[in-house]
């Protein structure tokens, strides 16, 4: 009945594990309690979880990402404190527990923090940026969200029921094989990645089609805002890369559960095939994460420099080049596997080549600031912090691309420092900048700037203090994933790194305070016009938050920086002569049902409750059949309903300041005049 | 940090690796420093409140700038690529350091969680200790009798993976006497943190004495002793074996390989040096 699930699977064997589980359970209860307290269940069920509106789906993705960021950070803080004290001592975490923590930290941050954040920003903004009413497949979008959430749910459940994997976020066999790591940990990892991967693949398909098919009239490819361009390329990368991961997971699942020998030590298995498949996904994955952040930086730097983006064509070409090249470098993750000098040299060279388009981007952003009028809002601070810090990570990345140097540095904390140097200032700062930049678009009020600025300073200072010592430690030979050590020279650096993590904790607190303060004081920071930053692209043409259909009348695009151009031509807030009926997709629970059943399926497969697995598959099949045969999945918003919403919007616009940025000290005037040369 | 293994190596391999590290870092300063300077300068100069600075809101393209931002990084990459090929061939861990000198042969076997080193020519074996005469190239063939491991002695040079059923190679040379630590750096389970050993680079006489000491151990590494040793164990003290079952290393590879894995294309290098 319960497969291999027994009462011993509960975490009463260790105080640290039990308290982690308790916090998770209490957190879940607190959320449920809060919804009950505010009497919000009805709203949550009918307007949110069943929603197929890309904006709401985007918001839910980002909420998931922020929760998981917190969880991933707790792991990081635990590792940092363990390593700070574990010189010639066991510290407070036994190896088995420490190993679960680095595994869950990496898995959470990549799969359940960064990926949902990316999908969230794309959902929220891309349809509005291209002047579209929705994504191409709204229902599939909801399925994607709930499959991703199912994976994240399994991650949280693993904290309470059973143990997590100790095989790292990469789960290299043969260690991750059943001979060396029996138990459910690796199965948790496999099934959550497998299930969430389906959701991500569908997101990729959805956004590729949306951007190709749903652009407003006149929105040619070379008028697309840069953020949309990066999501387009990211979608292509997702479509090509994720199947490799899904296949690798499926094969390892067969190895572990059904006696196959794809990757085992003996019986003709070969772990090197897994490693190749994994990085065939894994390297494009890092560009899947970072390209959208590059997109955010492109939008932010031009808006807050009050200037057109410099080198648009270069930036687009560089994005495409990076996308293409990202499939030609994966072997640099295992230069030390014994390939010939020729093979290593080839992949090393390809890796250094990929730094060229990346460097071009950095210079184009800097040249956008050149002769601009820079306004230092928090998103812009994150952008400048990124520019300076990212090149250091680029330097260490190119060093690691040189095989002889990689022989020395591979598997050391130098590598850990390198990828955090790319991923925190690059990916995370980009997403946080996007979060603060587009928050008003999602909720109709701005985030508090004081706390945003504080968060920025804590994050950037904390980053340097936490990760620069790891470069030094790498030169001192310290391997990654060390639970304890007996080399005295390492400890001072690890203590400094621990202090850095503490400063980042302050940054996390600032982010939380910012959100609370902003909600409390939202009436002082309302975004009435829908264009709080004097923006340039079409998402600022809608109201904040946007109407369910985004645009009552589809905009006609005549130039790059479409919205700016409309403001300049004085046609920005024109009232259309009449409105038309708009066909909208109906909310549905089918996506949620598929997600929940997907999660239950994963749980059942992990614990070998095969009857439950079959049952949940049947539920998924039933939901798909039901949905596919439901002909009543759309409704019409009549022209008069649209008119009512738009009338309200124009009444609000009348109350809004002519330009929300007009009071800023550095404001250059709107639309900014070109001074006579 | 100056006495860290990477910056203060004691062998030609690690030294050349460090050379490349310095050269590559220096050349990349050509792009890094301008980024720092431009970021600081533009941030201050073009802050919105500085009304004296020139403001050109539509300035979004300038051919010379585009050419510079593409060509300078490209030129650096060309420079890097030349050095990359040269050094990667020179420092290929499979390549013998000095073809005119016969290297000392060592076979390294990764176990949970220790290293077993077999000296086939001396017919001795030792757990968690490696010794070598200074100035003599050492050729280590590596395999694993468990999960994937990675062997590194940072003061001497780079690492290479140890994989069951397969054989990889690392050629090293110490040109100064001393004791350097080495270890597995590929995470391998509970005992990973303590999976380390010391390497003694000694004079010829000291090395011979060391071999003699091992020969006195009285205990031989036969099949049964090996099986007992291969069981997972942690912090295993240095142990000497005065004799080794013939062909032990190859048997361990054969045990896992079931088919000729060492003939895989990416291991062909191993054959050419055999
Ligand atoms: C917020 C501050 C962060 C801190 C203090 C931190 C700290 C750490 C530490 C201590 C490790 C283990 C290093 C080791 O193995 O010795 C680690 C590993 C890792 N981190 Fe982070 N991290 C942070 C943020 C992130 C973010 C934002 C991401 C990705 C989006 C990330 C991805 C990873 C990955 C993939 C690993 C490797 C896990 C493995 O070894 O399997 N980290 N981090
Ligand atoms: Cu890569
Ligand atoms: Cu191999």
């Amino acid at each position: 009945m319960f497969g291999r699930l027994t009462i011993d699977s509960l975490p009463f064997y260790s105080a640290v594990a039990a308290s982690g589980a308790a916090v998770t359970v209490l957190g879940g209860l607190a959320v449920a309690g809060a919804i009950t307290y505010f009497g919000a269940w009805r709203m949550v069920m009918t307007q949110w979880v069943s929603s197929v509106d890309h904006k709401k789906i985007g918001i839910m993705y980002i909420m998931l990402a922020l929760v998981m960021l917190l969880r991933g950070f707790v792991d990081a803080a635990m590792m940092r404190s363990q390593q700070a004290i574990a010189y010639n001592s066991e510290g407070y975490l036994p190896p088995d527990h420490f190993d679960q923590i680095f595994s869950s930290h990496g898995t959470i941050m990549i799969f359940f923090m960064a990926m949902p954040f990316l999908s969230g920003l794309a959902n929220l903004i891309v349809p509005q940026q291209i002047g579209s009413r929705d994504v191409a497949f709204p229902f599939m979008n909801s399925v994607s969200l709930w499959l991703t959430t199912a994976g994240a749910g399994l991650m949280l459940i693993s904290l309470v029921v059973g143990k997590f994997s100790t095989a790292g976020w990469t789960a290299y066999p043969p260690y991750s094989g059943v001979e060396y790591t029996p138990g459910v940990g690796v199965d948790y990892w496999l099934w959550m990645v497998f299930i969430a991967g389906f959701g991500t693949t569908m997101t990729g398909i959805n956004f590729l089609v949306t951007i190709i098919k749903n652009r407003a009239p006149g929105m040619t490819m070379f008028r697309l805002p840069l953020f949309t361009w990066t999501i387009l390329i990211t979608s292509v990368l997702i479509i090509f890369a994720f199947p490799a991961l899904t296949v690798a997971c499926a094969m390892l699942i067969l190895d572990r559960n059904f006696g196959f020998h794809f990757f085992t030590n003996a019986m003709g298995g070969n772990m090197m095939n897994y490693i190749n498949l994994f990085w065939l996904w894994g390297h494009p994955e890092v560009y899947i994460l970072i390209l959208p952040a590059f997109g955010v930086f492109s939008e932010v730097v031009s808006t807050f420099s009050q200037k057109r983006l410099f080198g648009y064509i270069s930036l687009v070409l560089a994005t495409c080049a990076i996308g293409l090249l990202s499939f030609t470098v994966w072997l640099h993750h295992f230069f030390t596997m014994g390939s010939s000098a020729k093979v290593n040299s080839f992949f090393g060279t390809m890796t250094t080549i990929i730094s060229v388009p990346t460097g071009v981007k950095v210079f184009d952003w800097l040249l956008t600031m050149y002769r601009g009028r820079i306004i230092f809002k928090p998103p812009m601070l994150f952008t400048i912090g990124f520019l300076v810090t990212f090149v250091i990570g680029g330097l260490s990345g190119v060093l690691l691309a040189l095989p002889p140097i990689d022989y020395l540095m591979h598997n050391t904390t130098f590598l850990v420092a390198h990828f955090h140097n790319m991923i925190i200032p690059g990916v995370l700062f980009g997403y946080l900048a996007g979060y603060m930049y587009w928050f008003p678009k999602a909720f109709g009020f701005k985030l508090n700037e004081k706390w945003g600025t504080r968060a920025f300073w804590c994050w950037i200072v904390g980053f340097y203090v936490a990760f620069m010592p790891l470069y030094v430690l790498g030169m001192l030979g310290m391997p990654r994933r060390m639970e304890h050590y007996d080399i005295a020279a390492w400890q001072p650096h690890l203590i400094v790194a621990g202090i850095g993590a503490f400063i980042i904790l302050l940054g996390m607190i600032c982010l939380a305070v910012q959100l609370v303060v902003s909600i409390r004081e939202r009436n002082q920071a309302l975004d009435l016009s829908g264009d709080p930053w004097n923006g340039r692209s079409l998402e600022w043409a809608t109201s904040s938050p946007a109407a369910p259909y985004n645009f009552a009348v589809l905009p006609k695009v005549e130039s790059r920086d479409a919205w700016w151009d409309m403001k300049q031509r004085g046609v920005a807030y024109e009232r259309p002569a009449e409105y038309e009926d708009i066909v909208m997709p109906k909310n549905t629970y089918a996506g949620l049902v598929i997600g929940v059943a997907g999660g239950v399926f994963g749980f059942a497969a992990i614990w070998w409750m095969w009857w439950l697995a079959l049952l949940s598959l049947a539920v998924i099949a039933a939901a798909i059949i039901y949905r596919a045969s439901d002909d009543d999945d759309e409704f019409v918003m009549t022209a008069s309903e649209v008119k009512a919403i738009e009338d309200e919007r124009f009444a609000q616009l009348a109350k809004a300041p002519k330009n929300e940025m007009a009071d800023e000290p550095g404001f250059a005037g709107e639309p900014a005049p070109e001074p006579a040369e | 940090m100056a006495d860290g293994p990477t910056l203060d190596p004691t062998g030609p391999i690690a030294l050349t690796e460090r050379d490349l590290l310095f050269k590559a870092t220096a050349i990349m300063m050509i792009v890094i420093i301008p980024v720092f300077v431009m970021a600081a300068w533009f941030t201050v100069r073009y802050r919105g409140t500085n009304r004296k600075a020139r403001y050109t809101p539509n300035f979004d393209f300038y051919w010379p700038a585009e050419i510079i931002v593409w060509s300078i990084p490209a030129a650096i990459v060309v420079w890097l690529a030349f050095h990359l090929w040269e050094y990667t061939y020179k420092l290929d861990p499979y390549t013998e350091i000095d073809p005119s000198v016969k290297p000392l042969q060592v076979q390294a076997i990764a176990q949970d969680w220790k290293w077993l080193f077999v000296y086939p020519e001396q017919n001795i074996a030792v757990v968690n200790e490696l010794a070598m005469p200074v100035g003599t190239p050492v050729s280590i063939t590596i395999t694993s009798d468990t999960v994937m491991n990675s062997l590194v002695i940072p003061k001497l040079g780079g690492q290479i993976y140890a994989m069951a059923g397969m054989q990889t190679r690392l050629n090293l040379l110490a040109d100064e006497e001393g004791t350097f630590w080495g270890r597995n750096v590929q995470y391998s389970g509970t005992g990973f943190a303590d999976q380390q050993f010391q390497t003694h680079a000694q004079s010829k006489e000291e090395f011979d004495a060391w071999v003699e000491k091992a020969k006195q151990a009285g205990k031989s590494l036969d099949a049964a002793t090996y099986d007992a040793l291969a069981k997972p164990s942690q912090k295993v003290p240095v142990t000497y074996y005065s004799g080794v079952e013939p062909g032990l290393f190859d048997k361990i590879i054969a045990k896992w390989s079931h088919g000729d894995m060492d003939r895989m294309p990416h291991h062909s290098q191993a054959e050419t040096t055999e």
Side-chain angles (χ1 to χ4, degrees), chain A residues 330-553:
Chain A
W330 79 93
L331 191 131
H332 63 210
H333 294 275
F334 43 91
F335 280 146
T336 56
M337 205 155 77
S339 305
S340 67
K342 197 188 287 166
V343 171
N344 279 354
S345 303
F346 173 79
F347 281 94
T349 308
M350 293 315 289
T351 309
T352 54
I353 290 177
I354 216 171
S355 68
V356 174
T358 316
V360 168
K361 285 186 163 227
V362 168
F363 284 111
D364 279 335
W365 290 318
L366 285 168
L367 288 169
T368 305
M369 291 162 62
Y370 173 70
R371 290 192 191 160
R373 285 262 152 91
I374 304 168
I375 296 179
F376 299 101
K377 297 281 178 192
M380 188 64 191
L381 293 178
F382 276 107
T383 305
I384 297 172
F386 149 79
L387 282 172
V388 173
T389 314
F390 188 73
V391 290
I392 303 174
L395 168 72
S396 61
V398 172
L399 291 177
L400 287 170
L402 308 173
I405 294 179
D406 184 71
Y407 299 153
L408 272 183
M409 296 304 189
H410 181 53
N411 270 331
T412 68
T413 59
F414 189 92
L415 173 79
V416 175
H418 157 67
F419 69 67
H420 284 86
N421 200 163
M422 304 309 264
I423 248 171
I424 292 180
V427 176
L428 192 64
F429 282 15
Y431 294 175
L432 288 176
Y435 157 79
M436 295 184 189
Y437 183 57
W438 284 314
F439 188 92
K441 185 48 57 187
F443 293 104
F445 59 94
K446 291 193 245 180
L447 283 171
N448 184 290
E449 280 166 25
K450 249 197 219 115
W451 283 102
T453 307
R454 284 175 194 154
F456 164 73
W457 284 110
C458 291
W459 269 98
I460 187 120
V461 173
F463 168 77
Y464 278 99
V465 180
F467 288 98
M468 291 302 135
L470 297 200
Y471 280 125
V472 179
L473 280 164
M475 306 243 199
L476 297 176
M478 179 172 173
R480 66 194 289 200
R481 299 174 174 174
M482 287 288 272
E483 187 259 345
H484 62 263
Y485 50 94
D486 57 9
I487 294 188
W490 293 350
Q491 194 176 28
H493 302 285
L494 287 165
I495 292 175
V496 174
I499 295 171
F502 180 77
I503 302 174
I504 293 178
L505 170 68
L506 298 180
M508 295 282 294
I509 293 174
C510 290
L511 285 178
V513 173
Q514 180 193 37
L515 190 58
V516 173
V517 169
S518 310
I519 294 175
R520 282 243 196 98
E521 300 174 353
R522 60 186 174 282
N523 288 333
Q524 281 121 62
L526 289 182
D527 166 24
L528 297 172
S529 69
D531 183 14
W533 316 117
N534 195 15
R536 315 180 74 88
S537 41
L538 277 179
E539 76 269 30
W540 306 112
T542 60
S543 60
S544 287
Y549 44 76
N550 296 347
F551 301 91
V553 175

Side-chain angles (χ1 to χ4, degrees), chain A residues 245-388:
Chain A
L245 177 68
T246 306
V247 166
C249 283
M251 289 163 85
L252 193 51
I253 286 170
L254 290 172
D255 271 11
R256 283 183 62 86
N257 294 284
F258 303 101
F260 282 58
H261 289 276
F262 289 116
F263 308 128
T264 51
N265 265 354
M267 310 288 284
N270 191 331
M271 79 275 303
M272 297 190 294
N273 290 339
Y274 176 91
I275 296 172
N276 268 291
L277 277 175
F278 184 87
W279 289 112
L280 206 47
W281 161 80
H283 191 86
E285 166 68 7
V286 306
Y287 287 98
I288 290 171
L289 295 179
I290 208 157
L291 286 178
F294 286 174
V296 175
F297 292 130
S298 305
E299 306 289 323
V300 166
V301 78
S302 131
T303 302
F304 292 110
S305 301
Q306 305 185 76
K307 196 162 158 263
R308 292 177 68 124
L309 189 60
F310 191 90
Y312 174 92
I313 299 280
S314 263
L315 284 165
V316 170
L317 292 181
T319 307
C320 298
I322 292 173
L324 204 65
L325 289 170
S326 71
F327 283 99
T328 63
V329 301
W330 79 93
L331 191 131
H332 63 210
H333 294 275
F334 43 91
F335 280 146
T336 56
M337 205 155 77
S339 305
S340 67
K342 197 188 287 166
V343 171
N344 279 354
S345 303
F346 173 79
F347 281 94
T349 308
M350 293 315 289
T351 309
T352 54
I353 290 177
I354 216 171
S355 68
V356 174
T358 316
V360 168
K361 285 186 163 227
V362 168
F363 284 111
D364 279 335
W365 290 318
L366 285 168
L367 288 169
T368 305
M369 291 162 62
Y370 173 70
R371 290 192 191 160
R373 285 262 152 91
I374 304 168
I375 296 179
F376 299 101
K377 297 281 178 192
M380 188 64 191
L381 293 178
F382 276 107
T383 305
I384 297 172
F386 149 79
L387 282 172
V388 173

Side-chain angles (χ1 to χ4, degrees), chain A residues 272 337, chain B residues 163 166 266-267:
Chain A
M272 297 190 294
M337 205 155 77
Chain B
M163 295 174 284
M166 294 174 246
H266 88 280
H267 287 167

Side-chain angles (χ1 to χ4, degrees), chain B residues 46-76:
Chain B
Y46 299 107
R47 62 187 190 279
T49 46
N50 180 14
R51 295 281 154 173
K52 292 201 296 285
R54 187 129 164 245
Y55 175 52
T56 54
N58 294 333
F59 176 61
D60 66 352
F61 186 79
Y62 184 52
W63 264 116
E66 295 293 327
I67 291 171
I68 290 174
V69 300
W70 280 94
S71 58
I72 294 201
I76 292 177

Side-chain angles (χ1 to χ4, degrees), chain A residues 28-45:
Chain A
L29 290 177
V31 171
I35 297 176
T36 314
Y37 177 80
F38 290 110
W41 278 110
R42 221 189 137 72
M43 185 190 75
V44 168
M45 292 308 286

